[in-house]
Amino acid sequence: MSTAVDPREDPALRRRNIRLAIVLGIVAVAVYVTFFLVKGMGGE
Amino acid sequence: MAHHEHAAEHAHHDEKPAGIMRWLTTTNHKDIGTMYLVFSLAMFLIGGLMALVIRAELFQPGLQFVDPGFFNQMTTMHALVMVFGAVMPATVGLANWMIPMQIGAPDMALPRMNLFSFWLLFFAFMLLLSTLFLPGGAPAAGWTLYPPLVLQTGDAFPVAVFAVHLMGASSIMGSINVIVTIMNMRAPGMTLLKMPLFSWSWLITAYLLIAVMPVLAGGVTMLLTDHFFATSFFNPAGGGDPVLFQHIFWFFGHPEVYIMILPAFGIVSEIVQTFSRKPIFGYEAMVYAIASIAFLSFIVWAHHMFTVGMPLAGQMFFTLSTMLIAIPTGVKVFNWTATLWRGSISFEPPMLFAIAFLFLFTIGGFSGLMLAIAPADFQYHDTYFVVAHFHYVLVPGAVFAIMAAVYYWLPKWTGHMYDMKLANIHFWMSTIFVNVLFFPQHFLGLAGMPRRIPDYATQFSDWNMVSSIGAFGFGLSQLLFVYIILKAAKGGAKATAGVWEHPADFPAGLEWTVPSPAPYHTFETAPEVK
């Protein structure tokens, strides 16, 4: 999506930015948790 | 009326606090980029001093200056500081400065998180460096933090683990910012396949970071719980496996190498086309090559662990998958060379560093191929050959590309041209000394000198002496780099908006359309890209 207006002046763009950031943050946390789960399933 | 309101608002946006408050509270991408770059330069000098302690000790056989325990702290801290404190923050600083300007965005998408990322990193490094003064000293088990050795670390252990978590959080937030900025805030007409290659390389790097930094964080969290909460992730007595940590570490560690080198590829691509006065040869192939390298980086990790022992099928898989990386890397080296072909080449300092990168990074790439061959790696593993290999990739590779980038964009940042003569001297001194420093380490490794030792057999004396002379020469040359930057920041000939010659049909970034120095706020009105 190409817009290049300032998010301070465009609440829709601001919402889109925050939404994508949250999705990426969830991915990062999911990778972190997955490594514990994999070890948990395969461990003693 | 509306125009006046907008002008007033614009003037309001241009206001910035004076003095220290500007730097503590700024959310401006250029200020934050500057802070990252200054921080990384300071870490480069601190990490460099640690390297000089190592090379002073190794100047001749026998124990000279430091005890073996402190020597191990130096090898560990040098690596952590250079990887996480110097190279990565330098590329993040360049990303902060250049990505919004290249794609025509007014700032990074999440400016407050941007500032938070920087200060988190700063705090993490203050913590990490403070471990040098704790009982038992700093971590000394190598930057790979392998258990059970790392569990013998003194009071520094939990502090270092906390610092690694903070660095990881900082990197992940920085990456999220890069991805959101590029995906949501490009100027109208700036399609993904029109983006400058530096921005492209960073977009792919940011995805890599989000995928692997949590893996490192997971690994060190398991170390922490093994140490303090009686878990047995890596403790065989409780059913754990220390080799599991090596898998986890290198699942992070190999992509980490590409996290440091992919932005360098982007930088070199931009510089080679500018000073050849030709658009880059095979732009799309360059993008796909970066993406292929990023993908392959996830399936090669165990080539760092051949000597630990693995089935023959595993050795063959990791040998062959590692060799596959030579294909997209070869595409890139071919395309850079093809860009130079029949170009109108000039050799300003950024181009000199970029050409040196082409030759010297490729040496590091080739020795990497040698190490990828499992039976050969049994000979080379844990010798100075490995040290020579990765230093060729990271110093005349990543660090030279960062220096090239500074010389390329410094006039855009400061508004002044820097002292070309001194920069040329800096280039030649760095290039000569970096080879004096690292090339003999190939011979030492092939002759069997192990890495991470403070003393060695007398047969290794001569090349160690040469290597140490190179180290001190390289270190001193970098003081010149600092002087050149400070001199340009203070004054000098005025730089034009374009700074370098860009032909009209050139696919250059939008940073060259704004004045030099770049105004505090750029692209508040979206530019139109045709």
Side-chain angles (χ1 to χ4, degrees), chain A residues 1-9 13-14 16-18 20-21 24-25 27-28 31-32 35-36 39 44, chain B residues 9 13 104 109-110 176 179-180 183-188 190 211 214-215 217-218 221-222 233 239 244 526:
Chain A
M1 178 66 69
S2 303
T3 49
V5 289
D6 196 324
R8 284 172 299 198
E9 292 155 14
L13 174 60
R14 196 186 165 95
R16 258 202 325 272
N17 287 349
I18 292 171
L20 181 54
L24 293 168
V27 170
V31 174
Y32 181 77
F35 270 76
F36 285 94
K39 177 58 190 164
E44 297 287 308
Chain B
E9 197 178 355
H13 287 166
L110 304 142
I176 290 172
I179 294 172
V180 177
M183 299 314 289
N184 285 356
M185 294 182 63
R186 279 172 285 120
M190 177 62 81
V215 177
T221 306
M222 291 180 207
F233 287 107
L244 171 71

Side-chain angles (χ1 to χ4, degrees), chain B residues 452-517:
Chain B
R452 292 174 174 147
I453 51 155
D455 191 8
Y456 49 82
T458 48
Q459 74 198 64
F460 304 126
S461 302
D462 294 347
W463 287 123
N464 266 302
M465 195 175 280
V466 173
S467 181
S468 292
I469 291 168
F472 279 87
F474 186 77
L476 285 175
S477 313
Q478 303 325 309
L479 298 180
L480 193 55
F481 182 52
V482 177
Y483 174 72
I484 293 164
I485 294 171
L486 290 177
K487 194 175 164 197
K490 237 173 136 187
K494 290 293 276 174
T496 60
V499 185
W500 315 107
E501 295 167 27
H502 298 286
D505 59 342
F506 208 65
L510 295 171
E511 76 267 35
W512 306 113
T513 63
V514 301
S516 302

